[in-house]
Amino acid sequence: NWNNLIEELKEKKEIAIRASLILIRNTDSSIQEEAGLLGAIKGTLMVVLIFITFAGITGIATGIYIAEFSKNKLLTNLVSLNISNLASVPPIIYGIFGLQFLVNGLGIPRSSTLLGGLILGLLTLTIIVIVTIDSFKSVPSHLKFSAKALGLTHMQTIFRVCLPFAFPRILTGILLSLSRGISEATPLILIGMASFIKTPPSTFTEPATTLATQIYLWITSPDGSFIEKAYGSIFVLLCIVASINLFASLIRYK
């Protein structure tokens, strides 16, 4: 049988199991032996760059405003409640919002990294906002009083005292949102990023795919031979997410 033949060839050293870089060196292909993740990795990096920039700046600014500047408690509580509710919205809703508002309304190209990055930015925005608010509330009050006693204005106290103290926790929240965004596929499938794309994107408006959508594409492929590629892709994605979570844990400990 096949098992005996394989063992016989191994003993003769005519075949061997060894590590191969084809999975991360080649782009997607209709031939299983030549298919790789290069295009998906590049698309993932471009999407991450967009959604971390968008969610990071918007989330930190919103969190600082709610924690330090908002004087209307009713409005603050209402905004905080809505932000907490957005965290429980199913990811597919963000995909529908992206199709209706970003594609049909603003004309952003479908299947592009720009569209995927903005949708994932909205999806992870709530995490960064909540973490920023909690981080600023954890700043000891005596640090704020001491800063004001030394002549710092409210704005200077926020950016010279509160933000440096809260930044490690904020950075941890950003990294955790990054790990969620990388592994998210549902809204990206809805906007057409789960498609066969052989050429890696060179701009943010070109069609692209990500690691998560590439895994979905290979798992659902009629050709069963792509299942092995999907397993390898899952391992690569898990290694990336585990590395991000480990880095976040080290920052939290530090």
Side-chain angles (χ1 to χ4, degrees):
N1 55 23
W2 284 109
N3 292 330
N4 295 333
L5 177 61
I6 292 174
E7 292 299 328
E8 182 180 348
L9 292 175
K10 284 183 179 180
E11 292 177 358
K12 295 180 179 179
K13 297 184 178 180
E14 295 182 2
I15 61 173
I17 298 175
R18 66 181 187 273
S20 175
L21 297 178
I22 292 178
L23 184 63
I24 60 176
R25 186 181 59 192
N26 291 9
T27 59
D28 195 11
S29 174
S30 58
I31 302 175
Q32 187 267 352
E33 291 81 2
E34 299 178 0
L37 293 172
L38 181 61
I41 292 174
K42 186 175 182 180
T44 300
L45 293 177
M46 295 174 72
V47 168
V48 165
L49 178 63
I50 294 173
F51 91 74
I52 283 298
T53 302
F54 169 70
I57 295 175
T58 307
I60 293 175
T62 304
I64 291 176
Y65 174 79
I66 294 175
E68 298 292 336
F69 290 100
S70 181
K71 302 299 181 182
N72 189 331
K73 291 186 177 181
L74 179 62
L75 178 61
T76 301
N77 294 333
L78 181 61
V79 173
S80 301
L81 178 63
N82 288 329
I83 290 174
S84 300
N85 290 335
L86 284 175
S88 61
V89 173
I92 193 172
I93 302 300
Y94 289 94
I96 296 173
F97 171 80
L99 285 177
Q100 294 298 323
F101 181 74
L102 298 178
V103 176
N104 298 334
L106 301 181
I108 297 177
R110 188 170 180 176
S111 303
S112 64
T113 55
L114 177 60
L115 178 61
L118 292 176
I119 291 177
L120 292 182
L122 294 173
L123 179 64
T124 58
L125 179 64
T126 56
I127 300 176
I128 300 177
V129 173
I130 294 173
V131 170
T132 302
I133 294 173
D134 293 338
S135 300
F136 269 79
K137 288 182 178 180
S138 67
V139 177
S141 58
H142 69 268
L143 291 180
K144 299 179 182 179
F145 295 149
S146 299
K148 292 180 180 179
L150 293 173
L152 271 68
T153 63
H154 184 54
M155 186 70 70
Q156 290 174 331
T157 301
I158 290 173
F159 287 98
R160 294 186 182 182
V161 178
C162 298
L163 185 58
F165 186 90
F167 187 73
R169 295 183 62 182
I170 295 174
L171 185 57
T172 301
I174 292 175
L175 291 175
L176 292 177
S177 66
L178 174 62
S179 63
R180 182 189 177 185
I182 288 178
S183 57
E184 190 61 62
T186 305
L188 302 184
I189 294 173
L190 195 61
I191 63 173
M193 293 191 74
S195 55
F196 177 79
I197 299 174
K198 185 174 179 60
T199 305
S202 56
T203 64
F204 291 105
T205 56
E206 292 183 359
T209 185
T210 64
L211 285 171
T213 55
Q214 188 67 61
I215 291 171
Y216 169 81
L217 188 65
W218 281 346
I219 287 179
T220 57
S221 173
D223 188 354
S225 61
F226 280 94
I227 294 295
E228 295 180 357
K229 291 285 185 177
Y231 290 159
S233 305
I234 292 172
F235 179 75
V236 172
L237 181 59
L238 288 176
C239 289
I240 294 175
V241 174
S243 300
I244 294 173
N245 290 332
L246 178 61
F247 187 50
S249 299
L250 292 176
I251 291 178
R252 188 185 302 113
Y253 174 77
K254 191 67 175 180

